[in-house]
Amino acid sequence: MILPFSNIVIGPYAGDSKIKDVEFIKSSPRAKDCPKDDRPEFAVLGRSNVGKSSLINSLVRKKELALTSKKPGKTQLINHFLVNKKWYLVDLPGYGFAKASEAAKVDWSSFTKGYFLNRDTLVSVLLLIDASVPPQRIDFDCANWLGRNNIPVTFVFTKCDKMKVSKGKRPDENIKEFQEIIKQNYKQHPPWIMTSSVTGLGRDDLLLHVSQLRNYWDQ
C-alpha cells in the first residue's frame, strides 16, 4: 500500500505508530554530548522558518514541546525528545537564517554535520521542505550533502495547506519541481510525504512511516 500524498510503500515492518508519551531529555551543544544509549532516533532538519517546531508539536500533539518562536533560528542546540520510552525525536538547528553571523553559520555546519556522521543510532533524517515557495538552493545543498554521505533521508514537505499565492505556484507544483531537480543527484528517489501542521495532513502517515523504519532498524 502506498500512503496518500507520498511515495511511501507500507510493508510488513509497519507497526504501532501512536505516540503515548513524550519526554524532553536534554539539549546538547555538540554531538559528543548527546544521549549515549542504543535507542533509534529520527532527526528533524530544515531551513529556518520551514515550520519545523510546528510539525514536531503536531506529531506529538503537545503545544510548545519544540520551542516555537517568531525569530527564525531560535533552536541552536541538538534537542532530544524520548518517545514512548523507545525512540528519540531529535530537533536540530534550522539552517540558513539571515540574522545569524557567519561564525554562527559555520559553527552550525560543524556541529550538525558532526552529529550526522557520528550517530550510529540515527535511523533517518526527516528533511523538511517548504512546499509553499519555489525550491530553494540551500535545501538542495543540504539534501545532496546527506546523499553523498549515505545518510538516509525522507523529504517532508510542509505547509501543503497553503493556497497558490499571486503569480506563484501551488504546493504540489513546487514539490514536483523539487523532485525533478533532486533526482539528478539520487539514483533512487528518497521517500517523500506532504504534510500540514494546520490541517493535520500527513501526520498519522508520517508516524506510520517512522514506525516502519524503526522496526526494520531493530531487526
Side-chain angles (χ1 to χ4, degrees):
M1 181 183 74
I2 298 178
L3 293 176
F5 304 102
S6 79
N7 70 338
I8 297 171
V9 177
I10 290 299
Y13 286 102
D16 184 9
S17 60
K18 292 182 180 179
I19 291 183
K20 306 177 183 70
D21 177 71
V22 183
E23 177 186 1
F24 170 72
I25 300 300
K26 68 179 299 189
S27 294
S28 308
R30 297 167 298 181
K32 66 180 183 179
D33 300 319
C34 291
K36 296 176 174 60
D37 57 45
D38 58 357
R39 292 186 177 97
E41 56 192 51
F42 294 80
V44 185
L45 177 67
R47 183 168 52 84
S48 181
N49 210 28
V50 73
K52 179 164 59 72
S53 294
S54 297
L55 181 74
I56 291 175
N57 293 335
S58 173
L59 287 176
V60 302
R61 288 188 170 153
K62 277 192 175 183
K63 291 184 178 180
E64 298 182 355
L65 180 73
L67 182 61
T68 303
S69 171
K70 292 184 179 179
K71 294 182 179 179
K74 187 71 174 179
T75 304
Q76 297 188 44
L77 296 168
I78 302 171
N79 300 297
H80 275 74
F81 299 92
L82 183 59
V83 181
N84 297 342
K85 302 189 185 304
K86 293 182 178 180
W87 58 278
Y88 287 115
L89 191 63
V90 186
D91 185 10
L92 293 175
Y95 54 80
F97 49 96
K99 293 186 178 180
S101 66
E102 288 303 314
K105 289 183 181 179
V106 170
D107 184 59
W108 176 90
S109 176
S110 175
F111 88 81
T112 306
K113 288 180 178 179
Y115 164 82
F116 290 133
L117 297 174
N118 295 289
R119 291 297 284 179
D120 294 335
T121 52
L122 178 62
V123 178
S124 182
V125 174
L126 305 180
L127 180 59
L128 275 52
I129 308 293
D130 186 346
S132 70
V133 299
Q136 305 290 303
R137 172 63 183 273
I138 194 169
D139 292 330
F140 290 121
D141 289 344
C142 182
N144 291 335
W145 184 88
L146 292 170
R148 286 195 304 272
N149 286 278
N150 298 313
I151 297 169
V153 61
T154 294
F155 296 133
V156 179
F157 294 101
T158 64
K159 305 183 183 181
C160 291
D161 59 289
K162 298 287 186 179
M163 299 301 290
K164 179 179 178 180
V165 296
S166 178
K167 296 184 180 180
K169 294 182 178 180
R170 300 191 312 267
D172 60 301
E173 294 174 316
N174 289 325
I175 291 171
K176 185 176 181 180
E177 184 178 349
F178 179 90
Q179 292 171 336
E180 286 297 317
I181 297 173
I182 202 68
K183 72 180 184 181
Q184 298 172 17
N185 294 297
Y186 279 84
K187 292 181 179 179
Q188 183 175 359
H189 201 299
W192 62 268
I193 187 170
M194 296 172 66
T195 69
S196 166
S197 59
V198 174
T199 66
L201 173 70
R203 183 227 178 232
D204 293 345
D205 290 331
L206 178 56
L207 287 175
L208 190 60
H209 173 57
V210 166
S211 79
Q212 179 169 254
L213 294 178
R214 190 176 73 249
N215 289 334
Y216 181 80
W217 185 86
D218 281 337
Q219 298 304 309

mmCIF file of all heavy atoms in Angstrom, residues 8-34:
data_model
loop_
_atom_site.group_PDB
_atom_site.id
_atom_site.type_symbol
_atom_site.label_atom_id
_atom_site.label_comp_id
_atom_site.label_asym_id
_atom_site.label_seq_id
_atom_site.Cartn_x
_atom_site.Cartn_y
_atom_site.Cartn_z
ATOM 1 N N ILE A 8 5.530 6.628 -0.323
ATOM 2 C CA ILE A 8 5.963 5.677 0.703
ATOM 3 C C ILE A 8 5.125 4.399 0.663
ATOM 4 O O ILE A 8 3.894 4.453 0.770
ATOM 5 C CB ILE A 8 5.874 6.315 2.104
ATOM 6 C CG1 ILE A 8 6.840 7.505 2.191
ATOM 7 C CG2 ILE A 8 6.190 5.288 3.185
ATOM 8 C CD1 ILE A 8 6.679 8.342 3.440
ATOM 9 N N VAL A 9 5.814 3.291 0.503
ATOM 10 C CA VAL A 9 5.158 1.982 0.476
ATOM 11 C C VAL A 9 5.184 1.390 1.887
ATOM 12 O O VAL A 9 6.239 1.300 2.516
ATOM 13 C CB VAL A 9 5.859 1.023 -0.500
ATOM 14 C CG1 VAL A 9 5.193 -0.356 -0.454
ATOM 15 C CG2 VAL A 9 5.835 1.588 -1.913
ATOM 16 N N ILE A 10 4.013 1.024 2.373
ATOM 17 C CA ILE A 10 3.913 0.431 3.705
ATOM 18 C C ILE A 10 3.955 -1.091 3.573
ATOM 19 O O ILE A 10 3.193 -1.687 2.808
ATOM 20 C CB ILE A 10 2.618 0.869 4.406
ATOM 21 C CG1 ILE A 10 2.699 2.348 4.761
ATOM 22 C CG2 ILE A 10 2.367 0.047 5.663
ATOM 23 C CD1 ILE A 10 3.840 2.699 5.713
ATOM 24 N N GLY A 11 4.862 -1.706 4.323
ATOM 25 C CA GLY A 11 5.044 -3.147 4.260
ATOM 26 C C GLY A 11 4.900 -3.807 5.620
ATOM 27 O O GLY A 11 4.321 -3.242 6.549
ATOM 28 N N PRO A 12 5.456 -4.997 5.776
ATOM 29 C CA PRO A 12 5.258 -5.793 6.995
ATOM 30 C C PRO A 12 5.904 -5.213 8.253
ATOM 31 O O PRO A 12 5.550 -5.624 9.356
ATOM 32 C CB PRO A 12 5.895 -7.141 6.632
ATOM 33 C CG PRO A 12 6.876 -6.818 5.540
ATOM 34 C CD PRO A 12 6.246 -5.716 4.764
ATOM 35 N N TYR A 13 6.834 -4.268 8.088
ATOM 36 C CA TYR A 13 7.501 -3.725 9.270
ATOM 37 C C TYR A 13 6.722 -2.582 9.922
ATOM 38 O O TYR A 13 7.065 -2.129 11.001
ATOM 39 C CB TYR A 13 8.909 -3.230 8.922
ATOM 40 C CG TYR A 13 9.883 -4.357 8.702
ATOM 41 C CD1 TYR A 13 10.248 -4.754 7.415
ATOM 42 C CD2 TYR A 13 10.437 -5.042 9.785
ATOM 43 C CE1 TYR A 13 11.135 -5.793 7.208
ATOM 44 C CE2 TYR A 13 11.324 -6.083 9.590
ATOM 45 C CZ TYR A 13 11.674 -6.458 8.305
ATOM 46 O OH TYR A 13 12.551 -7.491 8.109
ATOM 47 N N ALA A 14 5.678 -2.109 9.265
ATOM 48 C CA ALA A 14 4.859 -1.048 9.856
ATOM 49 C C ALA A 14 4.150 -1.594 11.096
ATOM 50 O O ALA A 14 3.636 -2.715 11.090
ATOM 51 C CB ALA A 14 3.846 -0.536 8.841
ATOM 52 N N GLY A 15 4.146 -0.807 12.167
ATOM 53 C CA GLY A 15 3.534 -1.275 13.410
ATOM 54 C C GLY A 15 2.818 -0.157 14.131
ATOM 55 O O GLY A 15 2.362 0.810 13.514
ATOM 56 N N ASP A 16 2.722 -0.288 15.436
ATOM 57 C CA ASP A 16 2.029 0.703 16.259
ATOM 58 C C ASP A 16 2.742 2.053 16.142
ATOM 59 O O ASP A 16 3.919 2.175 16.458
ATOM 60 C CB ASP A 16 2.016 0.240 17.715
ATOM 61 C CG ASP A 16 1.223 1.182 18.609
ATOM 62 O OD1 ASP A 16 0.546 2.080 18.068
ATOM 63 O OD2 ASP A 16 1.295 1.029 19.836
ATOM 64 N N SER A 17 2.015 3.050 15.685
ATOM 65 C CA SER A 17 2.635 4.362 15.466
ATOM 66 C C SER A 17 2.111 5.426 16.426
ATOM 67 O O SER A 17 2.472 6.604 16.307
ATOM 68 C CB SER A 17 2.388 4.814 14.020
ATOM 69 O OG SER A 17 1.008 4.905 13.759
ATOM 70 N N LYS A 18 1.266 5.023 17.369
ATOM 71 C CA LYS A 18 0.695 6.005 18.292
ATOM 72 C C LYS A 18 1.739 6.536 19.265
ATOM 73 O O LYS A 18 2.579 5.786 19.762
ATOM 74 C CB LYS A 18 -0.464 5.386 19.071
ATOM 75 C CG LYS A 18 -1.691 5.079 18.220
ATOM 76 C CD LYS A 18 -2.809 4.511 19.075
ATOM 77 C CE LYS A 18 -4.047 4.204 18.226
ATOM 78 N NZ LYS A 18 -5.139 3.628 19.037
ATOM 79 N N ILE A 19 1.690 7.834 19.497
ATOM 80 C CA ILE A 19 2.576 8.451 20.487
ATOM 81 C C ILE A 19 1.807 8.594 21.788
ATOM 82 O O ILE A 19 0.812 9.319 21.869
ATOM 83 C CB ILE A 19 3.101 9.815 20.002
ATOM 84 C CG1 ILE A 19 4.057 9.606 18.826
ATOM 85 C CG2 ILE A 19 3.795 10.561 21.136
ATOM 86 C CD1 ILE A 19 4.694 10.885 18.308
ATOM 87 N N LYS A 20 2.256 7.873 22.800
ATOM 88 C CA LYS A 20 1.572 7.869 24.092
ATOM 89 C C LYS A 20 2.285 8.731 25.129
ATOM 90 O O LYS A 20 1.663 9.238 26.057
ATOM 91 C CB LYS A 20 1.467 6.435 24.613
ATOM 92 C CG LYS A 20 0.811 5.456 23.638
ATOM 93 C CD LYS A 20 0.810 4.047 24.201
ATOM 94 C CE LYS A 20 0.238 3.052 23.205
ATOM 95 N NZ LYS A 20 1.127 2.841 22.043
ATOM 96 N N ASP A 21 3.594 8.884 24.949
ATOM 97 C CA ASP A 21 4.367 9.601 25.963
ATOM 98 C C ASP A 21 5.582 10.256 25.309
ATOM 99 O O ASP A 21 6.260 9.630 24.492
ATOM 100 C CB ASP A 21 4.832 8.614 27.055
ATOM 101 C CG ASP A 21 5.708 9.288 28.093
ATOM 102 O OD1 ASP A 21 5.168 10.088 28.872
ATOM 103 O OD2 ASP A 21 6.922 9.029 28.117
ATOM 104 N N VAL A 22 5.827 11.507 25.649
ATOM 105 C CA VAL A 22 6.981 12.232 25.139
ATOM 106 C C VAL A 22 7.670 12.943 26.296
ATOM 107 O O VAL A 22 7.022 13.610 27.097
ATOM 108 C CB VAL A 22 6.590 13.274 24.068
ATOM 109 C CG1 VAL A 22 7.835 13.956 23.516
ATOM 110 C CG2 VAL A 22 5.809 12.631 22.946
ATOM 111 N N GLU A 23 8.980 12.780 26.363
ATOM 112 C CA GLU A 23 9.745 13.380 27.465
ATOM 113 C C GLU A 23 10.978 14.087 26.908
ATOM 114 O O GLU A 23 11.740 13.507 26.127
ATOM 115 C CB GLU A 23 10.169 12.278 28.434
ATOM 116 C CG GLU A 23 11.035 12.753 29.582
ATOM 117 C CD GLU A 23 11.556 11.610 30.437
ATOM 118 O OE1 GLU A 23 11.249 10.433 30.115
ATOM 119 O OE2 GLU A 23 12.276 11.884 31.410
ATOM 120 N N PHE A 24 11.145 15.342 27.286
ATOM 121 C CA PHE A 24 12.360 16.050 26.902
ATOM 122 C C PHE A 24 13.524 15.493 27.724
ATOM 123 O O PHE A 24 13.445 15.406 28.952
ATOM 124 C CB PHE A 24 12.223 17.552 27.150
ATOM 125 C CG PHE A 24 13.519 18.305 27.005
ATOM 126 C CD1 PHE A 24 14.082 18.498 25.761
ATOM 127 C CD2 PHE A 24 14.190 18.788 28.124
ATOM 128 C CE1 PHE A 24 15.291 19.172 25.612
ATOM 129 C CE2 PHE A 24 15.387 19.468 27.990
ATOM 130 C CZ PHE A 24 15.938 19.656 26.738
ATOM 131 N N ILE A 25 14.614 15.112 27.047
ATOM 132 C CA ILE A 25 15.757 14.510 27.734
ATOM 133 C C ILE A 25 16.875 15.527 27.963
ATOM 134 O O ILE A 25 17.291 15.767 29.084
ATOM 135 C CB ILE A 25 16.299 13.295 26.953
ATOM 136 C CG1 ILE A 25 15.198 12.235 26.817
ATOM 137 C CG2 ILE A 25 17.533 12.709 27.656
ATOM 138 C CD1 ILE A 25 14.668 11.707 28.150
ATOM 139 N N LYS A 26 17.360 16.136 26.875
ATOM 140 C CA LYS A 26 18.441 17.116 27.053
ATOM 141 C C LYS A 26 18.690 17.904 25.777
ATOM 142 O O LYS A 26 18.288 17.495 24.684
ATOM 143 C CB LYS A 26 19.734 16.418 27.482
ATOM 144 C CG LYS A 26 20.369 15.533 26.408
ATOM 145 C CD LYS A 26 21.677 14.886 26.902
ATOM 146 C CE LYS A 26 22.739 15.895 27.266
ATOM 147 N NZ LYS A 26 24.054 15.272 27.532
ATOM 148 N N SER A 27 19.368 19.035 25.946
ATOM 149 C CA SER A 27 19.867 19.834 24.833
ATOM 150 C C SER A 27 21.381 19.733 24.832
ATOM 151 O O SER A 27 22.015 19.900 25.876
ATOM 152 C CB SER A 27 19.448 21.298 24.975
ATOM 153 O OG SER A 27 18.057 21.443 24.874
ATOM 154 N N SER A 28 21.949 19.466 23.671
ATOM 155 C CA SER A 28 23.387 19.244 23.578
ATOM 156 C C SER A 28 24.034 20.244 22.620
ATOM 157 O O SER A 28 23.565 20.411 21.497
ATOM 158 C CB SER A 28 23.679 17.825 23.095
ATOM 159 O OG SER A 28 23.003 16.865 23.877
ATOM 160 N N PRO A 29 25.109 20.894 23.055
ATOM 161 C CA PRO A 29 25.802 21.825 22.163
ATOM 162 C C PRO A 29 26.687 21.121 21.137
ATOM 163 O O PRO A 29 27.047 21.703 20.120
ATOM 164 C CB PRO A 29 26.648 22.657 23.126
ATOM 165 C CG PRO A 29 26.892 21.749 24.286
ATOM 166 C CD PRO A 29 25.658 20.904 24.419
ATOM 167 N N ARG A 30 27.023 19.850 21.397
ATOM 168 C CA ARG A 30 27.890 19.097 20.492
ATOM 169 C C ARG A 30 27.391 17.658 20.368
ATOM 170 O O ARG A 30 26.727 17.153 21.260
ATOM 171 C CB ARG A 30 29.334 19.090 21.011
ATOM 172 C CG ARG A 30 29.986 20.456 21.094
ATOM 173 C CD ARG A 30 31.276 20.408 21.890
ATOM 174 N NE ARG A 30 31.040 19.995 23.271
ATOM 175 C CZ ARG A 30 31.982 19.892 24.205
ATOM 176 N NH1 ARG A 30 33.246 20.156 23.894
ATOM 177 N NH2 ARG A 30 31.678 19.516 25.435
ATOM 178 N N ALA A 31 27.754 17.027 19.275
ATOM 179 C CA ALA A 31 27.303 15.654 19.038
ATOM 180 C C ALA A 31 27.767 14.713 20.146
ATOM 181 O O ALA A 31 27.030 13.810 20.555
ATOM 182 C CB ALA A 31 27.806 15.166 17.683
ATOM 183 N N LYS A 32 28.965 14.928 20.650
ATOM 184 C CA LYS A 32 29.502 14.020 21.668
ATOM 185 C C LYS A 32 28.786 14.149 23.009
ATOM 186 O O LYS A 32 28.960 13.317 23.894
ATOM 187 C CB LYS A 32 31.004 14.229 21.848
ATOM 188 C CG LYS A 32 31.405 15.567 22.425
ATOM 189 C CD LYS A 32 32.923 15.640 22.563
ATOM 190 C CE LYS A 32 33.388 16.935 23.202
ATOM 191 N NZ LYS A 32 34.863 16.987 23.341
ATOM 192 N N ASP A 33 27.964 15.206 23.144
ATOM 193 C CA ASP A 33 27.215 15.409 24.384
ATOM 194 C C ASP A 33 25.821 14.791 24.329
ATOM 195 O O ASP A 33 25.086 14.822 25.321
ATOM 196 C CB ASP A 33 27.081 16.907 24.676
ATOM 197 C CG ASP A 33 28.430 17.590 24.845
ATOM 198 O OD1 ASP A 33 29.314 16.983 25.480
ATOM 199 O OD2 ASP A 33 28.591 18.709 24.339
ATOM 200 N N CYS A 34 25.439 14.226 23.183
ATOM 201 C CA CYS A 34 24.113 13.645 23.016
ATOM 202 C C CYS A 34 23.946 12.387 23.863
ATOM 203 O O CYS A 34 24.942 11.786 24.292
ATOM 204 C CB CYS A 34 23.869 13.310 21.546
ATOM 205 S SG CYS A 34 23.704 14.753 20.480
#
